Amino acid sequence: MSDLLTTEEYKAIAAGLTLPTQAFVDGSFRPAQSGKTFDTINPATGEVLAKLAACGGEDVDFAVQKARDAFEDGRWSRLHPSERKDVLIKLAKLMTRNARELAVMESLDSGKTIYDCETVDIPETIHCLKWHAELIDKIYDQVSPASDDHISMVVREPVGVVGLVLPWNFPLLMLAWKIGPALAAGCSVIVKPAEETSLTALRVAELAMEAGVPPGVFNVLPGSGPDVGEPLGRHMDVDALSFTGSTETGRRFLRYAAESNLKEVTLEMGGKNPAVVLDDAENLDRVAAHIVNGAFWNMGENCSASSRLIVQQGVKDALLERIKAHAREWPMGDPLDPLNRVGALVSQEHFNKVCSYLGKGPKVVMGGTAKDGFVEPTILDVAADAPQAREEIFGPVLSVLTVENFDEAIALANATEYGLAASIFTANIKRAIRGARAIRAGTVTMNSFGEGDISTPFGGFKASGFGGRDNGIHAHDQYTQLKTIWLDLADDADEAVN
């Protein structure tokens, strides 16, 4: 996957793709019951890629019933864990075999660069599925300490029918983050991909059927939030729901659960993530490279993006010069050109939102231009109360805030409703650890930008998350219930005497 093709070769692959257009329910493609469709658009060109089934409440009801039937008859939920593992590993192999097709499809649908799709998204998606597959038969239940006359077992059981609501910024990777542990646990799933980026989820469902995932276990319903997401969130026969997306929409899913069957809800939402650079940070060139990657990777359409640079005054000017130099190494343009690192924003609506934060008063240190769905990497010098410093822009915009000392930096890092990710750069390891402990975020990296890896839990504090974690063994907690089974070993005669 590291051997990239030429732009012409990628365009030839794109021209030969057969794009899925229908919902996938009970093991086969089906049109929406209403017959309605919607356009999915290539954000880099504005061209319509395909007309997809626009599902609605009746499709949700049908998919939930098929998922419930599959769960209750045990065709997947009661398979031996090693059998589920074999099927998911086969799915990972099929995705590897079709990796280039998936990468091009993902780039066309989302505006992501083929460079990122080939080198990050597809390999990480496949790795995630394999990791959770291999974990299936290695999670042990427990026996609690009890008296000689009792044994108590604490066992995990699949939670049941699960709704998985995906974001548009990492369509394949977020699909894997959710179906990996959900299918590993034995659940039946109904995936609601983002309306903007539904193609690859539909293709993976088809490959899952080929791999041996039984009908009814893996269903995909394209459509809008009101037409599919809300009915899924309110459905009385959905046992749990996992959502990644905006904080505003996450709040709605909590309401839907409260107003229906109190289904379990896990939310992974927004962030306004600080990168704190102190004046004793070593190798400012390396620091700058991490800041640029954190701010501009995936066009800044990343909930854990380093969107706030909180820098101590003494190193600000030197660091900004290095950041500008590294940012020039991120060319913007045609996503299918493997030399480009910055592609198109996902939709015209989102492009307009990001553009609304440009030219509003803050000093433009670099960039600031936008045209036809593309926004160049932009650096703004802002005040702490500016909208660019407080609100999640979700674009390639880095807001720079200046502080005098460590305490001011940490206080400013925490001065946000969010708490997803953060980073701190300093040569003083004690100060780094104190800062990492003090910052209220689910992941804090020291002297680097990152999110951990598949083995580490990912999620946030405050308005960034609620109810559980993605990644790691902890992700399986979202999709299982704990049950206590209590065995009384006392003889009847002993009970009679006592």
Side-chain angles (χ1 to χ4, degrees), residues 122-400:
I122 306 302
E124 287 297 315
T125 294
I126 294 168
H127 176 61
C128 176
L129 288 176
K130 288 195 293 187
W131 195 88
H132 285 293
E134 290 290 355
L135 191 62
I136 292 175
D137 56 3
K138 299 171 184 66
I139 299 178
Y140 287 78
D141 293 327
Q142 298 168 314
V143 177
S144 76
S147 72
D148 286 345
D149 290 335
H150 304 90
I151 292 178
S152 58
M153 297 183 292
V154 182
V155 301
R156 292 171 179 257
E157 295 184 353
V159 69
V161 174
V162 180
L164 305 175
V165 183
L166 308 181
W168 45 253
N169 58 333
F170 290 95
L172 268 174
L173 191 53
M174 295 302 98
L175 174 69
W177 278 22
K178 295 187 186 302
I179 65 170
L183 293 177
C187 297
S188 295
V189 303
I190 300 156
V191 177
K192 191 265 178 233
E195 190 174 3
E196 297 87 347
T197 54
S198 300
L199 294 178
T200 49
L202 292 166
R203 178 64 176 128
V204 171
E206 185 179 25
L207 292 175
M209 186 69 181
E210 184 180 343
V213 175
V217 172
F218 185 174
N219 310 279
V220 181
L221 298 179
S224 71
D227 291 337
V228 178
E230 182 172 348
L232 199 58
R234 291 187 180 278
H235 205 287
M236 296 296 291
D237 205 24
V238 172
D239 300 299
L241 186 138
S242 182
F243 166 77
T244 297
S246 71
T247 299
E248 177 186 359
T249 303
R251 294 180 194 276
R252 293 196 190 108
F253 279 110
L254 289 180
R255 290 199 297 271
Y256 300 157
E259 293 167 1
S260 57
N261 63 339
L262 288 175
K263 61 178 63 63
E264 297 183 27
V265 176
T266 300
L267 304 176
E268 196 280 287
M269 302 180 290
K272 191 66 177 175
N273 310 293
V276 175
V277 181
L278 303 178
D279 58 9
D280 65 348
E282 294 180 321
N283 192 346
L284 288 184
D285 192 63
R286 183 175 182 274
V287 172
H290 278 286
I291 298 297
V292 167
N293 187 47
F296 303 138
W297 173 46
N298 202 52
M299 293 73 71
E301 296 172 330
N302 181 11
C303 55
S304 60
S306 300
S307 54
R308 288 188 296 153
L309 170 60
I310 300 173
V311 58
Q312 211 166 343
Q313 180 68 58
V315 294
K316 176 182 177 181
D317 291 342
L319 179 62
L320 284 179
E321 287 305 311
R322 287 167 173 82
I323 287 175
K324 287 190 288 184
H326 278 279
R328 295 186 191 104
E329 299 173 3
W330 285 60
M332 179 179 72
D334 182 357
L336 289 182
D337 183 342
L339 296 179
N340 287 329
R341 298 296 305 278
V342 180
L345 298 189
V346 72
S347 67
Q348 184 65 43
E349 179 183 9
H350 186 59
F351 172 77
N352 293 340
K353 176 203 167 186
V354 173
C355 288
S356 72
Y357 288 94
L358 305 178
K360 275 192 161 183
K363 176 184 176 183
V364 178
V365 177
M366 189 191 82
T369 63
K371 184 179 180 181
D372 298 331
F374 292 81
V375 175
E376 70 174 326
T378 298
I379 302 172
L380 304 176
D381 198 335
V382 304
D385 60 350
Q388 293 87 344
R390 294 182 291 103
E391 299 172 10
E392 186 179 35
I393 300 173
F394 224 62
V397 180
L398 175 64
S399 297
V400 181

